[in-house]
Amino acid sequence: MPDAYVPSGAVGMGGGFLNLHEPGTVRALLDEALLRGWCTDAPQVLAVDGWTLFDAVAARRNEAPGDDRSDPDGVGRSD
């Protein structure tokens, strides 16, 4: 948004928005990378373009109340 105020940590693309300072956002990016096959068991340096994860994470983070933002520590998770 030209000439608009956005909070520190805000990133956006195609109308979607994430705040990297908001609890749970970075975790949601890591979870999406895991869903797409990123393997934490193989210690290696790997560059992942986070923008390829953006749409899925933004959609999930902007769902109705009860999403990750209402439970930033994952205490209520059943998985």
Side-chain angles (χ1 to χ4, degrees):
M1 288 186 273
D3 300 325
Y5 168 79
V6 292
S8 173
V11 293
M13 180 175 81
F17 167 81
L18 291 173
N19 185 336
L20 299 176
H21 294 177
E22 188 173 72
T25 301
V26 173
R27 179 68 220 200
L29 287 163
L30 291 172
D31 288 344
E32 185 63 26
L34 288 168
L35 286 172
R36 295 183 185 204
W38 178 53
C39 181
T40 60
D41 295 333
Q44 60 183 357
V45 175
L46 178 66
V48 176
D49 182 358
W51 290 112
T52 63
L53 311 173
F54 184 89
D55 288 334
V57 173
R60 191 174 319 122
R61 297 287 294 156
N62 294 315
E63 289 175 354
D67 66 5
D68 291 339
R69 289 178 286 183
S70 65
D71 188 16
D73 297 320
V75 175
R77 288 188 180 169
S78 60
D79 50 34

